Amino acid sequence: MSKTFIPKNYKSLLNTKETEHAIVMIKDFFQTALSTELNLTRVTAPLFLPAGTGLNDDLNGVEVPVNFNVKDMHSQNMEIVQSLAKWKRLKVTELGLMPDFGIYTDMNAIRPDEELDNIHSLYVDQWDWEMAIDENDRTVMHLKTVVEKVYRCLKRTEFFIYDRYDQIKPFLPEKITFVYADDLQKKYPNLTPKEREHEICKQYGAVFLIGIGCKLPDGTIHDGRAPDYDDWISESGDGHTGLNGDLLVWNPVLETAFELSSMGIRVSPESLKAQLEERGCTERSKLMFHKMLLEGKLSLTLGGGIGQSRLCMFFLRKAHIGETQVSVWPEEMKAECKAAGINLL
């Protein structure tokens, strides 16, 4: 059964040609703003990585990456990237970047296990970014400072689009609100994590939810997070845990919370060891990436990903991510969208 949500009386504010032009403008403007705000230089990204190195993102540990064998390399197995969360840290280390300087890249991934709906596609495109930090920056205060810089880029992009398409009205709040996942669970103990996000984003408009992956007071977690890139087990201060989070905004078209980005301070050798034990996957410590990290051979970093098609979908007030990217969709979903005036590219 199709999981498509059809907004009542939906009508795209831009036609197809205008949409294609606006997508280019948003991507060009935002990545320039982001690279300037965070001191990031662009690098070229891999589409696939050697299997068995620990470099590919394992997401929640159950998703199976698309893979293939290379005939001219003794049938060595390669995996299409699911994200570049760990590859970026290796790249920052290789470049020998100073603290507060970093990289960004265009990441294109295939996630065949994704459940397809208005905001989830088999095709994932995002800006993956990573910056070097020093030991003193491994704090929640430093994380908040970087989040505020990313949010300023969002605000500038919102005005940029309004300045060119005055039918697309700005509505993001002036400042982003920081909320801890454990506080949110205490505030809404009878709601699911997604319902909590809905309520808090409806109230504040833009929220950075801190502590994704760490245990909440009731023993659950707000959402899954791999154990080998974000640090979600370290103390963040004020009695809270977690040095990572998700940037969420209120989506007026879908009338729900809408994730645009996730980011975090990356694991130290100590927190990696603790998180591998917490998730019961200590065998990963033998992989190339994890061995380098545990031996202290990788730079301390902070990084994240920002969905490109989601960003365009949000700023252009689209109802379906297929309106801002080309992918494949179930026949039933395509028929529902067509009947509702949702033009999938």
Side-chain angles (χ1 to χ4, degrees), residues 18-144:
E18 290 172 328
T19 297
E20 293 281 19
H21 288 167
I23 290 171
V24 174
M25 288 193 293
I26 289 173
K27 291 186 177 183
D28 287 346
F29 182 87
F30 183 81
Q31 69 180 2
T32 299
L34 185 73
S35 63
T36 302
E37 190 74 58
L38 298 184
N39 300 323
L40 307 176
T41 186
R42 190 187 184 282
V43 298
T44 303
L47 178 60
F48 45 85
L49 294 165
T53 60
L55 278 176
N56 203 357
D57 185 357
D58 294 298
L59 301 176
N60 290 307
V62 296
E63 296 87 351
V64 180
V66 177
N67 66 90
F68 61 94
N69 295 324
V70 182
K71 180 181 178 181
D72 208 32
M73 294 177 63
H74 307 289
S75 295
Q76 183 176 355
N77 191 242
M78 299 288 172
E79 295 176 347
I80 302 294
V81 298
Q82 298 196 111
S83 92
L84 296 173
K86 291 177 281 186
W87 177 87
K88 293 176 298 179
R89 188 168 181 177
L90 185 62
K91 189 69 175 180
V92 167
T93 302
E94 290 176 349
L95 293 173
L97 298 180
M98 293 172 53
D100 297 322
F101 292 87
I103 60 172
Y104 79 96
T105 191
D106 286 299
M107 190 282 299
N108 295 283
I110 300 173
R111 298 181 183 174
D113 292 328
E114 201 71 82
E115 293 187 9
L116 306 181
D117 55 26
N118 293 65
I119 63 173
H120 295 98
S121 170
L122 298 177
Y123 168 59
V124 180
D125 57 338
Q126 67 182 30
W127 291 285
D128 256 324
W129 62 271
E130 198 86 5
M131 64 166 61
I133 60 174
D134 62 32
E135 183 65 40
N136 294 330
D137 293 330
R138 299 193 78 256
T139 67
V140 74
M141 292 306 298
H142 187 70
L143 173 63
K144 288 180 177 180

Side-chain angles (χ1 to χ4, degrees), residues 196-243:
R196 294 172 207 153
E197 292 178 1
H198 177 98
E199 293 299 325
I200 203 70
C201 285
K202 188 175 182 179
Q203 179 179 353
Y204 291 109
V207 171
F208 188 75
L209 187 59
I210 303 172
I212 307 297
C214 66
K215 281 188 177 180
L216 301 178
D218 64 355
T220 65
I221 60 174
H222 182 84
D223 199 1
R225 194 65 100 241
D228 43 17
Y229 49 94
D230 280 353
D231 187 333
W232 40 257
I233 205 167
S234 295
E235 292 294 323
S236 59
D238 300 326
H240 297 285
T241 304
L243 296 174

Side-chain angles (χ1 to χ4, degrees), residues 33-34 39 41 44 132 166 206 230 248 251 261 271 274 291:
L34 185 73
N39 300 323
T41 186
T44 303
D166 58 9
D230 280 353
L248 311 166
N251 187 314
S261 175
S271 57
K291 285 178 66 176

Side-chain angles (χ1 to χ4, degrees), residues 249-280:
V249 296
W250 178 254
N251 187 314
V253 177
L254 300 181
E255 297 184 322
T256 190
F258 191 72
E259 181 186 329
L260 289 178
S261 175
S262 67
M263 66 189 82
I265 292 170
R266 306 312 198 185
V267 286
S268 64
E270 295 76 21
S271 57
L272 172 63
K273 183 179 179 181
Q275 290 182 182
L276 290 177
E277 292 174 353
E278 175 86 12
R279 289 288 188 265

